[in-house]
Amino acid sequence: MNKIGIITKSQKELYFVVAEDKEYKCKARGVFRDKNIKPLVGDKVKIQVLDDDNAYIEEVFDRKNFLIRPSIANIDQILLVSSLASPKLNYTILDKYLLMLEHFSIDVKIIINKIELASQEKIDKFKDIYEKTPYDFYFTSASDGQGIKEVEELLKNKISAFAGPSGVGKSSLLNLFSEDFNAETGNISKKTLRGKHTTRHVELFQLDSNSFIFDTPGFTAIDLSFIEDYKEVKEYFRDFDEFKNSCKFSDCSHINEPSCAVKKAVEDNLISRNRYENYIYISKEIQDKRRY
Ligand SMILES: Nc1nc2c(ncn2[C@@H]2O[C@H](COP(=O)(O)OP(=O)(O)OP(=O)(O)O)[C@@H](O)[C@H]2O)c(=O)[nH]1
Ligand SMILES: [Mg+2]
Ligand SMILES: [Zn+2]
């Protein structure tokens, strides 16, 4: 018997597939290895049911999109979770992640969790920077419940993924949305104030018939090696879009050229200086890597 399902977890060569409200442990047919297709969590698949618990994956349907880190497929949006305190926010890593999602054309919302721990000064700094970007952001606390209703609205009828550094509360947030969810959560290290990588594997949770959420392991660094040329980077800073056509040179990199409308917008506080400096930093980093 064949069924259509969705991969919710994978452990080495074993895939967990939920089809018609039942979970099957599946192996992939050798045909995938020949074609060099590795099924991903989030993939829609056709399975051949062997018995009550076991099945084979026969076919992986075409993907809407996928990411390698975290390894997930068919994502409607990333909810990029960070915190301002415990752990404190690394703005460069945040901007790198936003850039990566622009590259892969995946919608993103920023969630700042543990907001009850953040000083007003840190909140103001964050707002000041990201209000000038196209990204929506939400302040939440998985501990005292603020902002959770708004995030719940975002999840409706979508496949969302919680992504972000370790220890910011991705799994804690997820667990708030259903009594059935029991993603493992862990403390952050007292010494380094960083997370301990509690979530080790991607897992897809079903909220209702139309809404799914990926929990993903925390990341520490972002690998931008998919960017071929540092000149691409400026395209991914969407806050430059409004200004870049007014630069004197049509191929302006907004770094050293005269009469640059982007640099002017930074001076006029219309583009955040923090974002602009990360733009330069990231461009240089990619340029340096390519040189060797
Ligand atoms: N004060 C406070 N603590 C929180 C909040 N949300 C989560 N925590 C705590 O932060 C710690 C880490 O939470 P997790 O949910 O495991 O974090 P994670 O982002 O899933 O981390 P990884 O799985 O390692 O990537 C736990 O001790 C949580 O109880 C919050 O809003 N406020
Ligand atoms: Mg986790
Ligand atoms: Zn320019």
Side-chain angles (χ1 to χ4, degrees):
M1 188 186 19
N2 284 328
K3 286 187 177 182
I4 308 289
I6 184 160
I7 302 179
T8 56
K9 269 191 291 197
S10 75
Q11 281 171 2
K12 294 191 177 127
E13 300 286 280
L14 205 60
Y15 299 91
F16 292 76
V17 172
V18 172
E20 293 165 21
D21 287 334
K22 265 186 66 69
E23 185 179 81
Y24 297 92
K25 292 191 191 74
C26 301
K27 285 186 180 150
R29 289 259 190 228
V31 55
F32 296 117
R33 238 159 295 146
D34 305 341
K35 286 194 200 153
N36 220 348
I37 297 173
K38 195 183 166 340
L40 296 177
V41 177
D43 266 331
K44 191 176 162 193
V45 291
K46 183 162 101 187
I47 59 171
Q48 188 195 358
V49 176
L50 300 174
D51 59 40
D52 255 13
D53 297 310
N54 298 287
Y56 271 117
I57 295 179
E58 297 253 295
E59 187 179 347
V60 175
F61 292 103
D62 284 347
R63 291 170 184 149
K64 168 186 160 131
N65 57 26
F66 67 97
L67 284 174
I68 294 303
R69 278 201 203 121
S71 229
I72 52 180
N74 300 318
I75 315 135
D76 290 326
Q77 64 180 353
I78 297 275
L79 303 183
L80 186 51
V81 186
S82 294
S83 54
L84 297 173
S86 316
K88 71 178 206 271
L89 180 60
N90 182 323
Y91 283 91
T92 309
I93 288 189
L94 177 64
D95 283 340
K96 281 186 176 176
Y97 207 88
L98 291 170
L99 182 158
M100 176 176 95
L101 296 177
E102 290 296 342
H103 176 89
F104 292 107
S105 301
I106 296 176
D107 283 349
V108 57
K109 307 265 191 269
I110 301 173
I111 312 272
I112 300 295
N113 188 43
K114 305 197 182 186
I115 197 65
E116 90 285 1
L117 299 181
S119 66
Q120 194 56 48
E121 192 189 340
K122 282 192 168 155
I123 295 174
D124 290 343
K125 177 181 172 187
F126 177 87
K127 273 194 192 158
D128 192 47
I129 297 170
Y130 288 92
E131 263 164 7
K132 298 184 192 103
T133 69
Y135 304 108
D136 292 337
F137 53 82
Y138 300 81
F139 295 133
T140 63
S141 168
S143 301
D144 71 17
Q146 42 176 317
I148 299 303
K149 278 262 167 322
E150 286 82 354
V151 175
E152 195 164 23
E153 285 300 312
L154 298 177
L155 299 171
K156 281 190 184 149
N157 304 320
K158 289 216 164 89
I159 304 180
S160 310
F162 284 118
S166 180
V168 298
K170 298 178 296 296
S171 303
S172 305
L173 285 168
L174 183 125
N175 284 341
L176 297 178
F177 298 111
S178 165
E179 282 170 9
D180 298 339
F181 295 170
N182 55 354
E184 198 188 338
T185 63
N187 287 322
I188 63 165
S189 148
K190 282 206 180 89
K191 224 157 105 199
T192 63
L193 297 179
R194 289 204 213 116
K196 293 177 178 165
H197 295 279
T198 304
T199 303
R200 296 263 164 198
H201 304 282
V202 169
E203 187 166 348
L204 185 63
F205 293 83
Q206 183 159 16
L207 189 59
D208 58 46
S209 57
N210 255 331
S211 317
F212 295 82
I213 316 170
F214 291 99
D215 192 16
T216 73
F219 52 72
T220 31
I222 314 288
D223 175 9
L224 294 179
S225 55
F226 54 83
I227 295 183
E228 300 279 327
D229 184 345
Y230 78 95
K231 292 197 179 91
E232 266 178 68
V233 174
K234 65 180 179 194
E235 306 302 328
Y236 303 137
F237 274 74
R238 298 265 316 283
D239 19 355
F240 298 179
D241 288 358
E242 214 185 309
F243 306 98
K244 66 183 183 196
N245 294 331
S246 310
C247 293
K248 180 171 178 190
F249 301 103
S250 62
D251 63 346
C252 187
S253 71
H254 323 307
I255 299 176
N256 292 317
E257 296 87 342
S259 303
C260 168
V262 168
K263 279 198 286 184
K264 171 93 172 36
V266 176
E267 291 306 321
D268 295 344
N269 205 19
L270 298 170
I271 290 174
S272 141
R273 185 170 297 277
N274 200 299
R275 287 271 295 170
Y276 178 71
E277 281 170 1
N278 275 339
Y279 162 67
I280 304 226
Y281 176 85
I282 295 166
S283 299
K284 289 228 162 88
E285 193 179 78
I286 292 171
Q287 205 176 356
D288 288 347
K289 279 217 181 94
R290 288 278 168 255
R291 219 176 274 148
Y292 302 111

